[in-house]
Each structure stands twice: as C-alpha cells, then as structure tokens.
Amino acid sequence: MQRSCLLSRYSSAASVAIQGTLFLALTALLVAPVNAEPGQYLGPREIALSPDQQQLYVVEADATQVDVVDLAARKVARSIKLPESPTGIAVSPDGKTIYVTCGVSEGIVCVVDVPSGNVQKKFAVGHSPYAPSITPDGKTLFVCNRFNNDVSVVNVESGETTKRIPVLREPVSSAVTPDGKTVLISNLLPIDPSDANNVAAEVTII
C-alpha cells in the first residue's frame, strides 16, 4: 500500500539530530586533506556515516570511488574503487557492508565488504539508481530508479529484486523508518506539467 502527501514540517527532534550529524560530517570534510592531484575533480555526491559514527563514506562520482574518512583523525583513510560512477550509498546496520548504487541505464548495486574494501557482488536494479536505504534488520534494500519512476525492493542475501513499486516521477531519495515498516520516497518532479501555475513535488509513503 502506498500514498502520497505534501510535507510541511518535520519533527523538531529528528531535525536537530539530522542537523547535528550533518554538521559533524561536513566539519570533518572541510578539514580533511583531499586524495586528488591538482586539477582532478572527485565529484563528491553523497555521504553516509558508519553506525559507530567513526567513519564517513563519501561518494565520489567523478573519481568512481568511495572515500573513507576517519573522523577522529579528520583525514581520508582510504579509497574504494568501483566499476562504474557511484550515485548513492547505504550502510548495513552492523557496519560491515556498504551498498553503493552505480551506473545509468543498466543500474547496479555494488556490495562492498568494509574491512577489505572489495566489491563482493553486484545486483541489477533500474535506470539511474539513487539513494539506497536499508531496513533495520539489514535484510531488504530499497533503491530509487529515477527514470523508471519506481523503487526496487531487493533481498540483500540473494540479490534478487522481489518487486518494483511504481512511484510518482523521478524518485531521488529514500529513508526507512526506525521500525522498518515504512519507506519515504521523495520525487524530484510532480506528475503535473512543470510550467503550470501551481507546481509541487510530492513524497511517496510505502
């Protein structure tokens, strides 16, 4: 079951928590040395914190890698190379695995073992995958397929897409509630013409 709604405000407690986490992450990035030659663009696109908040993962679209920032040392500890340009990231609840969406028309999810930095396997998803999010039990991954206008529901253990859930238009971000019962999807564009008098993007609740 799914429905759509316009969000006008957020829980103040959740807002403060999110702002604090982002402030910590961005502060670390500002003082961290960059692993790049002069003139090289890394293309930072998304960030994610490890469950213990000791490491920050930075998705570098142009460099085709994920940089791992040691927050205590405030520096890039290592870089994890990927087969295609990354677009989004999710961290498993136990912190041992990261799931990185990559590619365009033939999108994939790269399953990366954090200790070794190796891509263990790849899952096929949809067109222009974005914003993976994982359930609290670590068993199910949700991936926004931007130009398919749907969300892939992936069994993490098997890599199988169990269903594709239609949403509104160009889903680009997702979040699973702490109880694992609801997924919120933000849609970049509305169904209505973008040149109409009243235009508003919507959030899909699954």
Side-chain angles (χ1 to χ4, degrees), residues 4 12 38 43 45-46 56 66 69 82 87 101 107 112 119 122 143 156 165 168 201 203:
S4 299
S12 59
R45 188 168 195 166
E46 299 289 342
L56 177 72
V66 170
V69 178
L82 297 162
T87 58
T101 50
V112 180
V119 177
K122 295 179 284 187
V143 178
V156 167
I165 302 174
L168 293 176
V203 172

Side-chain angles (χ1 to χ4, degrees), residues 114-133:
V114 170
S116 69
N118 295 329
V119 177
Q120 294 183 317
K121 49 189 173 180
K122 295 179 284 187
F123 304 154
V125 283
H127 196 304
S128 299
Y130 279 80
S133 58

Side-chain angles (χ1 to χ4, degrees), residues 41-164:
Y41 295 97
L42 298 179
R45 188 168 195 166
E46 299 289 342
I47 59 174
L49 278 171
S50 60
D52 61 8
Q53 298 192 7
Q54 298 302 304
Q55 296 186 123
L56 177 72
Y57 300 102
V58 184
V59 174
E60 309 282 20
D62 294 335
T64 319
Q65 66 192 34
V66 170
D67 285 339
V68 183
V69 178
D70 183 324
L71 290 177
R74 297 191 175 187
K75 67 179 182 179
V76 176
R78 58 188 171 126
S79 298
I80 299 171
K81 296 301 293 184
L82 297 162
E84 297 185 54
S85 179
T87 58
I89 187 170
V91 185
S92 64
D94 62 9
K96 296 179 180 179
T97 307
I98 56 174
Y99 301 90
V100 186
T101 50
C102 300
V104 185
S105 59
E106 297 182 2
I108 59 173
V109 175
C110 291
V111 182
V112 180
D113 175 66
V114 170
S116 69
N118 295 329
V119 177
Q120 294 183 317
K121 49 189 173 180
K122 295 179 284 187
F123 304 154
V125 283
H127 196 304
S128 299
Y130 279 80
S133 58
I134 195 164
T135 52
D137 61 9
K139 295 181 178 180
T140 305
L141 190 73
F142 295 87
V143 178
C144 296
N145 301 311
R146 179 175 178 179
F147 294 115
N148 289 135
N149 299 326
D150 65 19
V151 174
S152 290
V153 182
V154 181
N155 180 302
V156 167
E157 184 175 354
S158 67
E160 176 188 1
T161 296
T162 58
K163 63 181 69 176
R164 297 275 289 265

Side-chain angles (χ1 to χ4, degrees), residues 130 144-146 149-150 167 169-173 185-187:
Y130 279 80
C144 296
N145 301 311
R146 179 175 178 179
N149 299 326
D150 65 19
V167 291
R169 188 178 175 191
E170 295 194 29
V172 292
S173 64
I185 307 292
S186 65
N187 299 276

